[in-house]
Amino acid sequence: MTAAVTAAVSLPSNKSSSPISSSRTSISSDRLTFHKRNVFGSAGKVFVVAPIRAQVTTDVEAPAKVVKHSKKFEEGVVTNKFRPKNPYIGKCLLNTKITGDDAPGETWHMVFTTEGEVPYREGQSIGIIPDGIDKNGKPHKLRLYSIASSALGDFGDSKTVSLCVKRLVYTNEQGEIVKGVCSNFLCDLKPGADVKITGPVGKEMLMPVDPNATIIMLGTGTGIAPFRSFLWKMFFERHDDYKFNGLAWLFLGVPTSSSLLYKEEFEKMKEKAPENFRLDFAVSREQTNEKGEKMYIQTRMAQYAEELWQLLKKDNTYVYMCGLKGMEKGIDDIMVSLAAKDGIDWLSYKKDLKRSEQWNVEVY
């Protein structure tokens, strides 16, 4: 016995019942399926029970989801390929101190092998798991570091990754000298030593796709790492699908001139592309402004405040900030009064910039 059924069901129009209560729902015969099942009654009679399975569709369509298209190089970005339980084991190829002997603290540049197995992008980070165990006898947890090399790596073969690491040493309240576990592990690495690498991670600091963009980079100390990766791609490399024709403007803040990181590299870039690269240093213990104030990164920016504000009103200007958390407030202080001149609330405007991926912050 077979049957074909076509039905139209009107749901009640009581508004209190359901959000779709006034819509019209149809059940089409080609979506109805019958399955015979024999059930024996008490008198030995056989009843045929035919349960109905139906697909119900309504005339009410859900609003189309708006797909947000990122302005950054997000397509194909890999994250968390390697995790703490299964890290990639690279080898240290190079580890060299890049600050002067009289600098307040040591910063080292190091290169590790990846053999192309850690496919990172400019602006991403990797995790490092230092050797040894903690005070509880457990393996050390990973520490994240911003990558300091372009995706091609320092050797241009996409088989290495570089970091810029400051050795952490301080005296605690008990007068004891404390050494940062991971930073000292990394700064003491010798060529040939194994390194446990996780990641890559992060999309916040990815470069904008637009080759004609204005990219303002604000870095303090080792916060220069992602900007070195940007600038190598812009000015030291050739790419079939990317040629930077915009303006890159780097502000780098350090305590002394012997602490300036990658200074020679950046100066070569400026010589190579003077129309596309601007470079400003803020050396707090050696430089002052016209008021005699120490030259922090926000102090240097204040000298260009009006120009920076005009750039920030353009759709293709992107700000990237990496380093000490304190600099963000100093920059806000500059922009509040400038925006107010145009009748704009800076903090609200900055939120809009963040939503449009034009204000990118990674501070600690």
Side-chain angles (χ1 to χ4, degrees):
M1 179 177 69
T2 61
V5 178
T6 299
V9 181
S10 294
L11 297 179
S13 59
N14 185 349
K15 293 182 179 179
S16 64
S17 60
S18 165
I20 60 168
S21 61
S22 61
S23 64
R24 180 171 176 80
T25 303
S26 63
I27 306 175
S28 59
S29 59
D30 60 342
R31 293 298 185 184
L32 288 173
T33 306
F34 290 82
H35 298 283
K36 289 185 179 181
R37 184 160 56 92
N38 292 338
V39 179
F40 291 87
S42 57
K45 296 180 180 179
V46 179
F47 299 94
V48 177
V49 180
I52 299 176
R53 184 174 73 246
Q55 177 171 318
V56 180
T57 59
T58 72
D59 293 338
V60 176
E61 295 184 3
K65 187 175 181 180
V66 178
V67 179
K68 180 183 178 183
H69 295 284
S70 176
K71 297 179 182 179
K72 300 177 184 177
F73 279 111
E74 284 197 7
E75 187 176 350
V77 170
V78 175
T79 58
N80 293 310
K81 181 179 178 182
F82 294 96
R83 297 179 181 273
K85 290 184 179 180
N86 184 32
Y88 177 82
I89 308 299
K91 287 192 178 296
C92 178
L93 294 179
L94 172 72
N95 198 6
T96 183
K97 190 173 74 166
I98 56 174
T99 47
D101 292 337
D102 61 338
E106 299 177 5
T107 299
W108 293 67
H109 179 81
M110 52 204 69
V111 182
F112 309 136
T113 60
T114 65
E115 300 304 324
E117 293 298 316
V118 186
Y120 63 89
R121 294 281 185 87
E122 295 81 5
Q124 287 193 290
S125 300
I126 55 171
I128 300 293
I129 303 174
D131 289 348
I133 56 176
D134 62 20
K135 61 183 179 181
N136 298 316
K138 295 183 178 180
H140 289 298
K141 293 182 178 179
L142 68 86
R143 272 72 162 180
L144 287 175
Y145 292 91
S146 297
I147 295 170
S149 52
S150 73
L152 294 182
D154 286 1
F155 302 151
D157 58 3
S158 300
K159 293 184 178 181
T160 64
V161 62
S162 303
L163 296 181
C164 172
V165 179
K166 183 175 181 179
R167 185 190 296 273
L168 176 61
V169 180
Y170 65 95
T171 303
N172 65 15
E173 294 178 354
Q174 289 74 40
E176 302 167 327
I177 294 177
V178 180
K179 293 184 177 181
V181 172
C182 198
S183 69
N184 282 271
F185 164 75
L186 287 171
C187 293
D188 289 337
L189 277 175
K190 299 293 188 288
D194 287 347
V195 185
K196 301 185 191 75
I197 298 172
T198 66
V201 298
K203 293 185 178 182
E204 171 73 13
M205 300 292 282
L206 294 175
M207 291 178 66
V209 173
D210 184 2
N212 301 307
T214 293
I215 303 176
I216 300 170
M217 295 160 282
L218 315 175
T220 56
T222 55
I224 192 63
F227 306 139
R228 181 180 186 262
S229 72
F230 285 14
L231 294 165
W232 268 59
K233 181 172 183 176
M234 291 174 185
F235 301 117
F236 278 173
E237 299 172 355
R238 291 184 180 180
H239 296 266
D240 293 337
D241 59 349
Y242 180 79
K243 185 180 186 306
F244 184 69
N245 296 308
L247 172 64
W249 193 348
L250 173 64
F251 291 86
L252 174 59
V254 293
T256 65
S257 54
S258 56
S259 304
L260 285 168
L261 307 177
Y262 310 112
K263 181 174 181 284
E264 293 77 13
E265 289 183 7
F266 299 146
E267 289 176 341
K268 285 181 182 178
M269 294 174 187
K270 187 165 177 58
E271 289 177 13
K272 186 176 181 180
E275 300 299 317
N276 302 98
F277 185 37
R278 292 177 65 170
L279 179 62
D280 278 279
F281 297 129
V283 185
S284 61
R285 297 185 189 178
E286 299 175 11
Q287 298 175 334
T288 58
N289 64 3
E290 62 278 2
K291 298 178 182 178
E293 299 168 330
K294 287 186 176 182
M295 188 63 72
Y296 296 108
I297 193 167
Q298 60 266 30
T299 320
R300 179 67 74 194
M301 290 177 67
Q303 297 179 332
Y304 305 98
E306 199 66 53
E307 184 179 1
L308 288 167
W309 172 239
Q310 295 305 318
L311 288 173
L312 281 172
K313 290 192 285 187
K314 296 183 178 181
D315 289 340
N316 68 337
T317 295
Y318 298 80
V319 176
Y320 289 82
M321 189 183 306
C322 187
L324 297 175
K325 190 174 183 179
M327 69 173 167
E328 188 171 14
K329 182 183 182 303
I331 294 165
D332 282 340
D333 292 342
I334 298 170
M335 293 301 171
V336 165
S337 57
L338 287 167
K341 291 179 182 178
D342 289 345
I344 296 173
D345 177 75
W346 166 246
L347 296 180
S348 295
Y349 189 75
K350 187 171 75 169
K351 288 180 181 178
D352 291 337
L353 291 175
K354 286 183 177 181
R355 279 191 286 267
S356 62
E357 300 181 334
Q358 291 177 255
W359 191 269
N360 307 275
V361 178
E362 196 168 80
V363 293
Y364 41 84

